[in-house]
Amino acid sequence: MAIVVNLDVMLAKRKVKSKDLARYVGITEQNISLLKSGKVKGIRFSTLDRICGYLDCQPGEILEYTPTEDDPENETQTT
Amino acid sequence: MTTPKIVGISRVMRLFCLVLFLATPFAVALVWWKIEFFLPQMPGMGGLSIHPERIGPGTRLLGFVVHMIPAAVAMYGFQELRRLFELYANGEIFSLGCVKHLKNFARALLVYAVASPAAMAAISMVITMNNPPGERALSITISSNDLVTLFVGGVFVAIARVMAEGHRLAEDNAAIV
């Protein structure tokens, strides 16, 4: 998938621990860990809202779109 | 989180299914112990020429064994239903285990709907096998109960498929933080 989660970068920038973020957001530390590694299928707006509020950042600083060579959009553009 | 109501109802139903499972063989044994009383009420037996004095212990035992075939299917169904309610009571609603037990219960219903009239036909032969020539009979009856059981079994098969889809959706939902 082309969506990259940069939550670990933002946590390091703000010097915030995963467990503190998890407690504030209201999800488990395990889910934070899955989110950091990009192994979730989606993120709710309410969760994103709480994360950005706690880390004082924009969604774009946590989520990044990085198209790969296999991305269907790239195939369309080349044709 | 499973609601307390679901947990409460599931615990009651689990116990009820256990009671039915344990009571079934005793109920069948009671029927064959007092077969003269129960026989006229059994499907397809009303028109038979019944000689109670010719239904000895061996005939009763054979009848009990034949009657236990659909009863064993029913016991399997009660057991699967008990396991299903056990999972519900533990908070599992859309797990693969729930789907499996519901499917097995549905299959038991379908098999019972076929096995029950077949067993009754065999029992009609058992009951009359010691009768004088000309009074032995094979009675095949398909009652509305059998058709309803078949229909309900089909309904539960469909519900099990819906539950399987529910499990898939629940898994997808769990993967969204």
Side-chain angles (χ1 to χ4, degrees), chain A residues 31 40-44 47, chain B residues 171-177:
Chain A
N31 277 347
V40 295
K41 286 193 175 178
I43 181 169
R44 295 184 178 89
T47 303
Chain B
E171 278 210 326
D172 272 355
N173 193 49
I176 297 173
V177 296

Side-chain angles (χ1 to χ4, degrees), chain B residues 88 91-99 162-168 170:
Chain B
Y88 288 165
E92 282 185 53
I93 306 290
F94 291 108
S95 68
L96 280 178
C98 291
V99 173
V162 171
M163 290 278 289
E165 179 64 13
H167 166 72
R168 190 190 66 76

